[in-house]
Amino acid sequence: MTNGPQIPVPQPVQTDPTKLRWGIVSTVKAPLRKVAEFIAFHLDLGAQRIRIHLDVPDPSIAERLAHPRVRFTQCDDGYWEGKPSRARTTHQRRQMFNAARTYRMSQLDWLIHIDVDEFILSPHPLADLLAAVESNASHIELQPVEMMEGSSDPYHFKRPASKTIRRTIYPVFGEHIPGGFIGTRSPKIAARTGLPNVRLGIHALHHAGQPVPGAALLPGVELGHAHAPDFKTFERHLAYRLSKGSYHDRNGETNLRGHLFRALMDDPEPDALRAFHTELCVPTKERIALLKEHGLLRVEALNLDAKVERFFGNLED
C-alpha cells in the first residue's frame, strides 16, 4: 500500500517476475567472512546484481568472492579522484554517493541500498513480490528487525516495541531506548530505477533535496539487522558509533542512545555495559515469550554457512 503523493513513475513497469531484475548496492567495511555471508545470502534470495564498494580497498576480497552477479569497486584514491571532496568526508556521505552513482548507472528494475550487516527476510521470492508492487509506487521501505544474540540458526529478531511494552520486556533499560532497539529503527530503501532527478540515500529516496513520500511495503518482508548480535561486536564498534556512526545525530551531537552508552561506560560497575546488552539482546525464554505474546518476534534460519559454501566454497582454503 502507498500513503501519499508520489513522484511520477515512468510506465510501463516490469510486472513479470520471471523477467524482473533486482539488485543491491552496499558500501562495505568488513572482514572477508562477513562480506561473503552478505553476498551469498542475497544471491540465494535471487539478486541479479550486487555492487560492493570496498570502503577499505582490499583486492583479495574481490578476488576470493568473484562471482558473475557481483561487482566490486575498490574505493581507493584513484576511485575518488575527480569526485566531490565533500562526498568522501564521512562513511555516511560515501554510502550516499556510491548508492546514488550506482542508481544512475543501473540497468535493473529495482535497486536496494542496505549494509553488510543486514539481511532481507522474505517469505516468498523477492522478484514475485516486487513484480506485484503497484505501478505508481516509486520505492519501498524495508522495516528493520533487530537480531538478538545467537551464534547459529535459527536466529531471533525483535520488532520495535511501544514504551509501555518495553517496560515489561526490558524493565531496566527499555524506557530509555526507543523501540528497544540498540540500532536504528529507520527503514532502508528499495527504489525503482530510471526515476528522473532522484537520489537514493540511506533511509530515504530524495527528490529536489526532499524525502519522497508514499513508500510501499512488501508483505511479510523485513530487514534483519545484525547490529549487535553479541557483546564483543557491540563493544568493538561502540567507540566508532559514538564518535562518527549511528549513535551520533546529524549535527554531530551524541543522541539519546549515545548518552546512555557513555554513562554506562563511565559506570563504576564494570559489567554495566554488558548488563545493558544482556537485557536488550539476549533471547532468554522469558523475553522470547513476551516478544511472541506481543507479536514482536521473528524467527529465521539464515543458513549462512551453507550459502557461503554453495557460492564460494571453503573460505579457509
Side-chain angles (χ1 to χ4, degrees):
M1 297 178 63
T2 57
N3 53 12
Q6 296 184 303
I7 59 175
V9 175
Q11 301 294 322
V13 297
Q14 183 57 260
T15 59
D16 183 347
T18 66
K19 297 179 181 178
L20 187 143
R21 291 165 50 85
W22 65 271
I24 289 171
V25 58
S26 186
T27 298
V28 169
K29 184 179 180 180
L32 172 68
R33 180 75 196 186
K34 293 300 181 184
V35 180
E37 291 175 351
F38 176 78
I39 293 173
F41 181 88
H42 291 103
L43 287 176
D44 181 77
L45 191 61
Q48 291 295 320
R49 180 73 72 229
I50 298 177
R51 171 73 72 170
I52 299 292
H53 294 80
L54 292 172
D55 204 33
V56 177
D58 189 339
S60 67
I61 290 181
E63 181 179 356
R64 183 62 184 84
L65 303 181
H67 188 277
R69 287 189 273 156
V70 181
R71 297 289 183 272
F72 286 94
T73 298
Q74 303 287 341
C75 295
D76 51 20
D77 290 340
Y79 172 73
W80 289 108
E81 186 176 357
K83 297 178 174 64
S85 58
R86 185 173 182 270
R88 192 179 181 179
T89 54
T90 68
H91 180 69
Q92 292 84 355
R93 287 176 178 171
R94 295 193 296 274
Q95 284 180 295
M96 290 187 287
F97 179 87
N98 293 335
R101 181 172 179 267
T102 300
Y103 181 87
R104 291 193 301 270
M105 299 187 300
S106 180
Q107 300 298 310
L108 302 167
D109 298 296
W110 289 88
L111 183 65
I112 304 172
H113 184 198
I114 56 176
D115 290 334
V116 72
D117 62 353
E118 294 173 323
F119 301 90
I120 301 171
L121 308 178
S122 178
H124 306 290
L126 202 60
D128 292 356
L129 298 176
L130 291 170
V133 173
E134 53 189 289
S135 62
N136 68 333
S138 59
H139 64 298
I140 291 161
E141 289 183 345
L142 301 174
Q143 300 294 334
V145 290
E146 192 166 84
M147 181 185 286
M148 303 182 76
E149 185 168 281
S151 58
S152 61
D153 283 332
Y155 290 90
H156 295 85
F157 296 88
K158 61 183 182 181
R159 299 185 176 100
S162 68
K163 191 170 186 178
T164 300
I165 294 174
R166 292 201 306 273
R167 289 170 176 164
T168 301
I169 302 175
Y170 322 107
V172 178
F173 298 105
E175 186 172 358
H176 308 289
I177 298 294
F181 272 29
I182 295 183
T184 182
R185 292 177 298 151
S186 299
K188 292 297 181 71
I189 300 300
R192 288 194 195 273
T193 60
L195 302 174
N197 303 316
V198 302
R199 184 177 181 88
L200 180 58
I202 298 175
H203 298 293
L205 184 70
H206 296 273
H207 180 261
Q210 298 297 319
V212 178
L217 297 174
L218 295 179
V221 175
E222 291 172 306
L223 191 63
H225 188 191
H227 179 80
D230 55 68
F231 182 71
K232 287 184 178 180
T233 299
F234 173 59
E235 192 175 38
R236 184 171 66 250
H237 293 300
L238 189 54
Y240 174 83
R241 287 169 172 165
L242 282 168
S243 63
K244 299 179 181 179
S246 56
Y247 305 150
H248 243 47
D249 290 330
R250 291 182 180 179
N251 62 4
E253 298 295 328
T254 305
N255 60 30
L256 291 176
R257 287 174 300 165
H259 282 298
L260 175 59
F261 297 154
R262 289 190 185 280
L264 291 171
M265 292 168 72
D266 294 336
D267 195 300
E269 170 55 53
D271 290 330
L273 196 62
R274 182 181 287 276
F276 167 83
H277 183 271
T278 296
E279 181 174 279
L280 271 292
C281 298
V282 174
T284 63
K285 290 183 178 180
E286 295 79 6
R287 193 163 295 122
I288 289 300
L290 286 168
L291 288 167
K292 188 174 182 179
E293 176 185 342
H294 293 287
L296 302 178
L297 179 68
R298 181 164 186 156
V299 181
E300 291 279 343
L302 302 184
N303 300 314
L304 296 177
D305 289 344
K307 289 170 184 175
V308 169
E309 177 76 22
R310 173 186 166 195
F311 288 101
F312 302 117
N314 187 350
L315 291 184
E316 304 304 319
D317 291 345

